[in-house]
Amino acid sequence: GAGVSQTPSNKVTEKGKYVELRCDPISGHTALYWYRQSLGQGPEFLIYFQGTGAADDSGLPNDRFFAVRPEGSVSTLKIQRTERGDSAVYLCASSLGGTLTETQYFGPGTRLLVL
Amino acid sequence: GESVGLHLPTLSVQEGDNSIINCAYSNSASDYFIWYKQESGKGPQFIIDIRSNMDKRQGQRVTVLLNKTVKHLSLQIAATQPGDSAVYFCAEKPDSWGKLQFGAGTQVVVTP
């Protein structure tokens, strides 16, 4: 059984460039989450999808960050005009339906380095 | 014993001993709490969870304790093994759905 997968595993880009990070959730999971983890810290919530719609995007730091999930499965996190401070590990998680006690299963993350 | 490293508090444990990892959570209204284990280069992995109407829950070699009065969680690992070396995070769910809010994490180092 496949878990959550994320591509690419590593991404190096230059300041000001645009990047897209992809997440493939576990098949059948309707809830999908994006988190960002800086070195030595716990993951910080960015956005939560229930199906195709963003149910909570309160964690997106500014309007340079945007995420989509057009068919309710794969999601893409898009970062415009990247800054050095965007360097972090971007984690994706999915759960069956998003209810209180459902386990969120995490992918391995995409390590983004902005030079 | 515990020490504060550059980024994370570190708990050094001898193989075979029991480990206790502590966590203070922030939201008194949180109803659900989870412990995750994160190995280097990997995403967080679920260990055990507990609802706020419980004060103790046991799994295989792990026990989670919840003290709502002082907003404190602990994770106990029995007979710690080298494979337990990782960073451990507590997380709370401040809403009935959606996001997890993670604590700062504790690095556990198991020595032979």
Side-chain angles (χ1 to χ4, degrees):
Chain A
V4 177
S5 62
Q6 293 186 246
T7 53
S9 53
N10 293 280
K11 176 71 177 177
V12 181
T13 191
E14 294 179 343
K15 180 177 178 296
K17 298 289 188 183
Y18 167 83
V19 296
E20 289 190 351
L21 313 179
R22 175 187 168 109
C23 172
D24 278 89
I26 293 171
S27 178
H29 281 194
T30 63
L32 184 146
Y33 315 80
W34 283 99
Y35 294 84
R36 178 168 71 173
Q37 186 174 28
S38 299
L39 188 63
Q41 298 185 13
E44 289 181 294
F45 170 77
L46 295 176
I47 187 168
Y48 155 54
F49 286 91
Q50 184 58 258
T52 60
D56 182 358
D57 65 357
S58 62
L60 294 177
N62 51 60
D63 61 6
R64 295 187 298 105
F65 288 75
F66 189 70
V68 295
R69 195 186 185 200
E71 297 178 359
S73 178
V74 170
S75 177
T76 305
L77 178 66
K78 309 180 181 197
I79 311 174
Q80 298 178 321
R81 304 183 304 280
T82 51
E83 299 177 358
R84 292 193 181 89
D86 299 335
S87 296
V89 176
Y90 289 80
L91 293 163
C92 177
S94 71
S95 68
L96 193 58
T99 59
L100 179 67
T101 58
E102 283 176 2
T103 300
Q104 291 186 23
Y105 296 91
F106 283 81
T110 293
R111 283 147 192 80
L112 176 66
L113 177 62
V114 182
L115 300 176
Chain B
E2 287 191 20
S3 64
V4 178
L6 280 176
H7 299 290
L8 289 168
T10 299
L11 178 65
S12 294
V13 182
Q14 198 155 17
E15 184 178 354
D17 286 352
N18 297 335
S19 306
I20 299 176
I21 306 162
N22 296 302
C23 172
Y25 65 90
S26 59
N27 192 332
S28 56
S30 290
D31 191 26
Y32 180 59
F33 305 89
I34 315 98
W35 280 98
Y36 278 90
K37 171 186 180 183
Q38 188 173 26
E39 296 173 288
S40 182
K42 297 183 178 180
Q45 177 188 1
F46 172 89
I47 302 174
I48 191 168
D49 59 0
I50 189 167
R51 291 285 304 268
S52 62
N53 60 355
M54 304 172 70
D55 53 21
K56 180 179 180 179
R57 189 161 189 229
Q58 288 184 290
Q60 189 174 17
R61 277 201 312 118
V62 293
T63 300
V64 54
L65 300 177
L66 174 63
N67 184 329
K68 294 182 289 294
T69 303
V70 294
K71 295 193 288 186
H72 183 267
L73 273 170
S74 68
L75 178 70
Q76 301 177 358
I77 304 173
T80 312
Q81 302 169 359
D84 295 327
S85 292
V87 177
Y88 290 80
F89 292 99
C90 67
E92 60 185 300
K93 218 169 188 184
D95 305 309
S96 60
W97 46 267
K99 66 187 175 191
L100 294 173
Q101 191 170 312
F102 284 81
T106 298
Q107 173 93 52
V108 172
V109 177
V110 182
T111 57

